[in-house]
Amino acid sequence: MRFTFTDEQQMIRKMVKDFAEKEVAAAVPRMEAEDRFPEEIIKRMGQLGLMGVPIPEKYRGSGMDYISYIITLHELSKVSATVGVILSVHTSVGTNPILYFGNEQQKQKYLPKLASGQYLGAFALTEPGAGSDASNLKMSAKPTAEGYVLQGTKMFITNGGYADTYIVFARTSQEGGYKGVSSFIVEKGTPGLTVGKKEKKMGLHGSSTVQLNFEECHVSKEQLLGSEGDGFKIAMANLNAGRIGIAAQSLGIAEAALSYSTVYAKEREQFGGPIANQQAISFKLADMATEVEAAKLLTYQAAFMRTEGKDCGKQASMAKLMASKTAVKAAIEAVQIFGGYGYTKDYPVERLFRDAKICEIYEGTSEIQHMVIGKHILRA
Ligand code: CAA
């Protein structure tokens, strides 16, 4: 395994770090205070080529490898986990399904717009009654002469309301469990598609999470992604890679918690000296740093395998499991090191604490990652 980044990967890391520290950091206070979707940041990311990092240049992407994409999410999430998740959902599960499962006509129609940032993508799998048990989804897609009519409700849709395209999963056959699930590209503004309740979340302020209602929503045959019955496998294949993105987001949060805590521990004086001199604090920092490194190795190993085109399902789940746990623990410890100040909104660790938790929930809970890893081990 390589332990160094290529020149191109180092270049994108530096570019994203500069952008995040200058432009994204300046937008964070408003996102936090007003729960405001950062449209101007998304527009800038389009101009910088960040909305299509792993998408081939022929579709107006940046044509870089998956590791570069993971580096992008990692660096952005050190500054804003909100911007991290918007980009992760847009790319991993909003754009990649079309790249890997779309026909050439669908690729030509959607990829240039998505990869250039003209369009924002989203992924609509979860339903009120089907979260972890995704193949139990109820939304129907009944065949008509021209295509299909979608009927049902989707829940917790990241980027919902702002997205231009949704990858939607619905049942084309009532029989066959996961085999009856198909996927569709549904455009914003399609009659019958309406945006419902916007969730008020604990963290990730500024990101949009909504319910989507499909009522007599007609889509043409051309909107079917893959073949009928392919939907569940398309969802799983893209979630595998998506989970590496959430691992990178978690890593960004964990590293930010460690970095803020280290600086603070050296500055804050109690008992006649910096609290960093207290073993209770330095051991906390040592644990945080060790766990961050372990999570980083797993995340980049999974990204490396994905870049090489290898099956990375097990490694992606391991990376997400480990990195999200690390983010939560590091954020809790950061608040502890900051003490009373850490519990206030005057310091950023309070935000990291709230943002970290969702990483153990979305794109498959930690319990689901255990199931996936367990299945891989037992199958082998
Ligand atoms: N990769 C590839 N194929 C997979 C797979 C994976 N990770 N998981 C399952 N499959 C395949 C299986 O091999 C099987 O195919 P065969 O019959 O040909 O062998 C088929 O799919 C069905 O598999 P299972 O019987 O294991 O399916 P299941 O119904 O028991 O579900 C599960 C498996 C792992 C629990 C799955 O339902 C799952 O991942 N659930 C979590 C859903 C999830 O992650 N939701 C996230 C929503 S999106 C989101 O959060 C985005 C956001 O907004 C941030």
Side-chain angles (χ1 to χ4, degrees):
M1 192 198 279
R2 273 199 322 260
F3 284 96
T4 51
F5 289 133
T6 63
D7 288 347
E8 187 180 71
Q9 289 161 356
Q10 288 189 32
M11 188 197 72
I12 190 159
R13 191 171 114 88
K14 185 178 177 318
M15 187 266 269
V16 177
K17 186 169 156 46
D18 287 348
F19 165 67
E21 288 175 357
K22 286 186 195 128
E23 300 183 47
V24 178
V28 168
R30 260 190 94 189
M31 282 191 256
E32 277 303 305
E34 299 169 23
D35 199 6
R36 184 177 162 278
F37 190 81
E39 283 178 281
E40 69 292 349
I41 294 292
I42 307 305
K43 192 168 166 215
R44 275 292 288 145
M45 291 204 297
Q47 291 164 353
L48 294 171
L50 300 180
M51 298 301 279
V53 174
I55 309 302
E57 284 171 290
K58 72 170 179 169
Y59 299 119
R60 289 187 64 199
S62 296
M64 299 177 99
D65 61 16
Y66 208 77
I67 296 176
S68 302
Y69 166 57
I70 291 304
I71 290 172
T72 304
L73 290 176
H74 181 183
E75 288 302 327
L76 283 173
S77 302
K78 284 183 191 171
V79 174
S80 169
T82 291
V83 174
V85 75
I86 293 171
L87 181 63
S88 180
V89 167
H90 164 80
T91 312
S92 302
V93 289
T95 306
N96 276 346
I98 301 175
L99 177 63
Y100 291 107
F101 296 94
N103 57 38
E104 197 49 41
Q105 199 191 350
Q106 290 168 330
K107 291 183 194 185
Q108 295 288 352
K109 183 170 180 192
Y110 294 109
L111 290 179
K113 289 180 174 156
L114 287 160
S116 63
Q118 189 185 336
Y119 272 15
L120 184 67
F123 181 80
L125 174 68
T126 302
E127 296 183 357
S132 290
D133 188 8
S135 64
N136 194 28
L137 65 85
K138 297 283 182 279
M139 182 161 158
S140 63
K142 293 210 174 107
T144 63
E146 296 79 30
Y148 301 86
V149 54
L150 304 177
Q151 186 80 32
T153 303
K154 294 291 176 180
M155 187 89 186
F156 301 135
I157 307 308
T158 303
N159 294 344
Y162 293 89
D164 298 278
T165 50
Y166 297 90
I167 308 296
V168 177
F169 298 85
R171 203 163 272 292
T172 37
S173 148
Q174 289 311 306
E175 308 298 326
Y178 80 85
K179 291 182 181 155
V181 176
S182 303
S183 53
F184 301 87
I185 308 167
V186 183
E187 294 187 27
K188 173 176 85 176
T190 305
L193 165 59
T194 52
V195 177
K197 181 182 166 229
K198 181 182 178 205
E199 304 298 340
K200 286 191 180 153
K201 305 188 295 294
M202 174 195 286
L204 292 187
H205 292 168
S207 77
S208 164
T209 309
V210 304
Q211 190 167 313
L212 293 179
N213 301 312
F214 295 82
E215 209 151 315
E216 289 278 319
C217 178
H218 288 262
V219 292
S220 68
K221 285 191 181 99
E222 285 70 44
Q223 304 310 107
L224 178 70
L225 183 62
S227 301
E228 273 192 21
D230 284 352
F232 189 68
K233 294 239 175 140
I234 291 176
M236 290 298 123
N238 289 286
L239 279 170
N240 280 344
R243 286 165 183 163
I244 313 173
I246 301 304
Q249 184 202 23
S250 309
L251 203 50
I253 297 171
E255 279 197 54
L258 172 62
S259 160
Y260 285 125
S261 301
T262 307
V263 171
Y264 184 80
K266 289 200 276 189
E267 283 171 4
R268 170 77 173 163
E269 299 211 349
Q270 291 291 280
F271 304 107
I275 60 169
N277 291 348
Q278 305 282 343
Q279 198 180 67
I281 301 298
S282 68
F283 275 26
K284 275 192 200 302
L285 294 172
D287 274 343
M288 286 160 83
T290 306
E291 285 157 13
V292 162
E293 286 304 310
K296 198 185 291 179
L297 286 171
L298 275 174
T299 303
Y300 281 99
Q301 173 187 248
F304 178 79
M305 289 178 70
R306 167 78 198 198
T307 294
E308 298 276 295
K310 297 192 175 129
D311 177 11
C312 63
K314 181 177 78 177
Q315 283 75 13
S317 284
M318 285 177 165
K320 182 183 183 283
L321 178 66
M322 176 73 188
S324 59
K325 193 193 288 182
T326 301
V328 170
K329 191 167 164 218
I332 290 173
E333 291 294 46
V335 172
Q336 191 69 20
I337 290 169
F338 275 70
Y341 294 107
Y343 200 65
T344 71
K345 290 195 180 287
D346 295 340
Y347 290 84
V349 292
E350 175 267 349
R351 168 171 56 85
L352 299 177
F353 184 89
R354 288 183 289 102
D355 286 352
K357 185 58 202 170
I358 189 63
C359 299
E360 291 188 316
I361 298 173
Y362 56 25
E363 297 210 14
T365 62
S366 295
E367 291 74 13
I368 291 296
Q369 306 314 324
H370 278 104
M371 276 172 62
V372 173
I373 297 163
K375 274 191 185 176
H376 274 278
I377 293 167
L378 293 170
R379 203 187 306 144

